[in-house]
Amino acid sequence: MMKDNSRTWLVYAIIAGLCWGLWGVLAKLIAEDVSPYLNHVLFSIGMLCTLPLVAGRCRVSQLNKRGSIWGIIAASFAIGGNLAIYYAFTSGGKASIVVPLTNLYPLVTILIAVLFLKERLNLFNVFGLLLALPAILLLSGYSQIFTNPAVFFETVELKTWLWFSVIAFVCWGIFSAAQKITTNYVSAQWAYMIFIVVSVVIALGFLITGQAAFSLSRRSIMIGSVAGILNGLGVLASFAAYKSEGKASAVTTI
């Protein structure tokens, strides 16, 4: 599954993008029925369904402290981003705007990759950066800055859903960079297993503290769990892409 092939990382990156795109749409469908915390619980339940894909490939001898720490860091930022996007949805953000807006997080990853991971930008990355910056303003509904800047700065109002979208944008950007570092020390399967453990522990914390009251329809449970499966598969595919020698700046761009 993790053969070193120059094309393999690209396939995994595309799979991750497709899974996360579908996850964003499904998460929006139940955003009004469940809280962000309960949404995370459903996400964790869905991820548990993917355990058979990796459990048999994890060997204790392959695990190490450094990889575990980076895995925990990656998972924590990913979950923080997930909660933020759930809040963006419940604060009135439209999936057609919030999902593509937050999916510009590779800007953050590329910045980290260049400054700290010493990766070099190619022409594709540079072109993407030039397009992404104005895209953020267009998707957020503030295109008036291009047509009438004076009026824009007089009337601009940063809405709650946009702030949460920005938080998700930053968290996911850091998460992707941490993913790459994690796979430098452990296998993609172990990195994913650590992600699941952290997710489940946080979900249990929400349930124990009463922040995630488990009272919802069968429809919401089903959609939330399927969304969790898709999100989990996206995470696994992205770990596989990094382990297959995919650069952080390239994988996140895809």
Side-chain angles (χ1 to χ4, degrees), residues 141-195:
Y142 296 120
S143 57
Q144 194 179 42
I145 192 174
F146 299 113
T147 58
N148 198 335
V151 174
F152 168 80
F153 286 109
E154 289 178 1
T155 61
V156 65
E157 179 184 356
L158 298 180
K159 298 180 180 179
T160 302
W161 68 263
L162 180 59
W163 283 116
F164 282 120
S165 297
V166 171
I167 292 173
F169 166 82
V170 174
C171 283
W172 285 346
I174 298 174
F175 157 62
S176 293
Q179 272 187 304
K180 174 60 179 177
I181 299 173
T182 302
T183 55
N184 288 338
Y185 303 106
V186 296
S187 66
Q189 290 89 351
W190 261 122
Y192 185 56
M193 185 68 76
I194 294 170
F195 188 97

Side-chain angles (χ1 to χ4, degrees), residues 5-223:
N5 186 301
S6 60
R7 297 287 183 179
T8 303
W9 70 267
L10 178 59
V11 174
Y12 285 130
I14 292 173
I15 292 173
L18 291 173
C19 287
W20 282 336
L22 291 172
W23 162 74
V25 174
L26 291 178
K28 173 59 180 177
L29 288 178
I30 60 173
E32 296 181 358
D33 300 329
V34 299
S35 69
Y37 303 108
L38 184 53
N39 223 329
H40 174 72
V41 172
L42 294 175
F43 160 62
S44 300
I45 292 173
M47 286 187 66
L48 288 174
C49 296
T50 66
L51 269 178
L53 297 176
V54 297
R57 296 173 176 267
C58 293
R59 300 287 183 271
V60 176
S61 59
Q62 299 173 338
L63 192 61
N64 60 72
K65 183 178 179 181
R66 187 168 293 182
S68 299
I69 291 174
W70 277 107
I72 292 172
I73 292 173
S76 298
F77 275 103
I79 294 167
N82 290 351
L83 290 174
I85 197 173
Y86 293 145
Y87 269 115
F89 288 144
T90 57
S91 300
K94 296 180 179 180
S96 59
I97 297 177
V98 173
V99 173
L101 177 61
T102 53
N103 279 345
L104 291 172
Y105 70 85
L107 286 172
V108 177
T109 306
I110 291 173
L111 182 63
I112 295 174
V114 172
L115 294 179
F116 301 103
L117 304 183
K118 306 305 180 183
E119 293 185 7
R120 293 183 178 180
L121 292 180
N122 54 36
L123 291 177
F124 182 64
N125 296 141
V126 174
F127 183 66
L129 285 171
L130 293 176
L131 289 179
L133 293 176
I136 290 176
L137 292 172
L138 290 172
L139 288 170
S140 60
Y142 296 120
S143 57
Q144 194 179 42
I145 192 174
F146 299 113
T147 58
N148 198 335
V151 174
F152 168 80
F153 286 109
E154 289 178 1
T155 61
V156 65
E157 179 184 356
L158 298 180
K159 298 180 180 179
T160 302
W161 68 263
L162 180 59
W163 283 116
F164 282 120
S165 297
V166 171
I167 292 173
F169 166 82
V170 174
C171 283
W172 285 346
I174 298 174
F175 157 62
S176 293
Q179 272 187 304
K180 174 60 179 177
I181 299 173
T182 302
T183 55
N184 288 338
Y185 303 106
V186 296
S187 66
Q189 290 89 351
W190 261 122
Y192 185 56
M193 185 68 76
I194 294 170
F195 188 97
I196 292 177
V197 170
V198 174
S199 181
V200 170
V201 168
I202 292 176
L204 289 173
F206 291 156
L207 289 171
I208 293 172
T209 58
Q211 296 186 73
F214 215 94
S215 176
L216 64 164
S217 66
R218 181 179 298 179
R219 171 183 174 275
S220 294
I221 293 175
M222 289 297 296
I223 293 177

